[in-house]
Amino acid sequence: MNKLTRYYRTLLALLTGGSLLAIFLVVFASSLSRYAVNAPLLWSEEFARYTMIYGTMFGASLAYIEGRQIGFNLLTDLLSARAQARLALLVHLATLAVGVIVAYAGYVFFTTRGSLMSTGLGIPMAYAQAALSLGGVLLALTALICFLNGAHALRHGEES
């Protein structure tokens, strides 16, 4: 399971980093085009916006699997290590449920409004709107992996 978690974390890191790189390159090219030859890339802002949404979805799952998401530990720090591990399992299950709900909501959103065309890129909005569904699926998968890792660690008396 640890090997799968490492591969998954690496995939999320590559997708997040790739999104950031794509945004940087397109915005840089657009800036050069605008100021060097006075011909802005009209589609660049929309491309950067949609890529940022995908990057955010990838990054949220990456932060979650690495335990770098925002947490309020004021009360949980008062619990024993075993109670904290059990509470973490409940949080993972709740996060999995939220991921499924977000994935479904995204699916409904892009199937009902995905036929609209984007103005800058000229592509169906379903490509941009699918980010919400993908983000929900990734979050649910991440929560499942974290739950399984946490349950294994709790069963074997390891720290997670």
Side-chain angles (χ1 to χ4, degrees), residues 127-147:
Y127 291 117
Q129 294 164 347
L132 188 59
S133 254
L134 179 61
V137 168
L138 290 174
L139 184 62
L141 182 59
T142 302
L144 178 62
I145 290 171
C146 289
F147 176 82

Side-chain angles (χ1 to χ4, degrees), residues 91-139:
V91 169
H92 295 320
L93 288 176
T95 303
L96 190 147
V98 167
V100 169
I101 292 168
V102 168
Y104 178 73
Y107 172 76
V108 169
F109 184 61
F110 83 79
T111 55
T112 57
R113 298 191 177 153
S115 61
L116 300 172
M117 298 299 282
S118 76
T119 55
L121 293 171
I123 60 171
M125 288 298 294
Y127 291 117
Q129 294 164 347
L132 188 59
S133 254
L134 179 61
V137 168
L138 290 174
L139 184 62

Side-chain angles (χ1 to χ4, degrees), residues 43-81:
W43 53 268
S44 63
E45 183 181 330
E46 198 170 11
F47 177 85
R49 185 179 320 130
Y50 299 150
T51 306
M52 188 180 337
I53 294 168
Y54 274 94
T56 300
M57 294 297 151
F58 300 141
S61 290
L62 179 62
Y64 189 80
I65 201 163
E66 290 183 348
R68 295 180 182 215
Q69 75 279 10
I70 295 174
F72 299 99
N73 302 341
L74 181 66
L75 298 176
T76 58
D77 285 347
L78 300 174
L79 300 173
S80 69

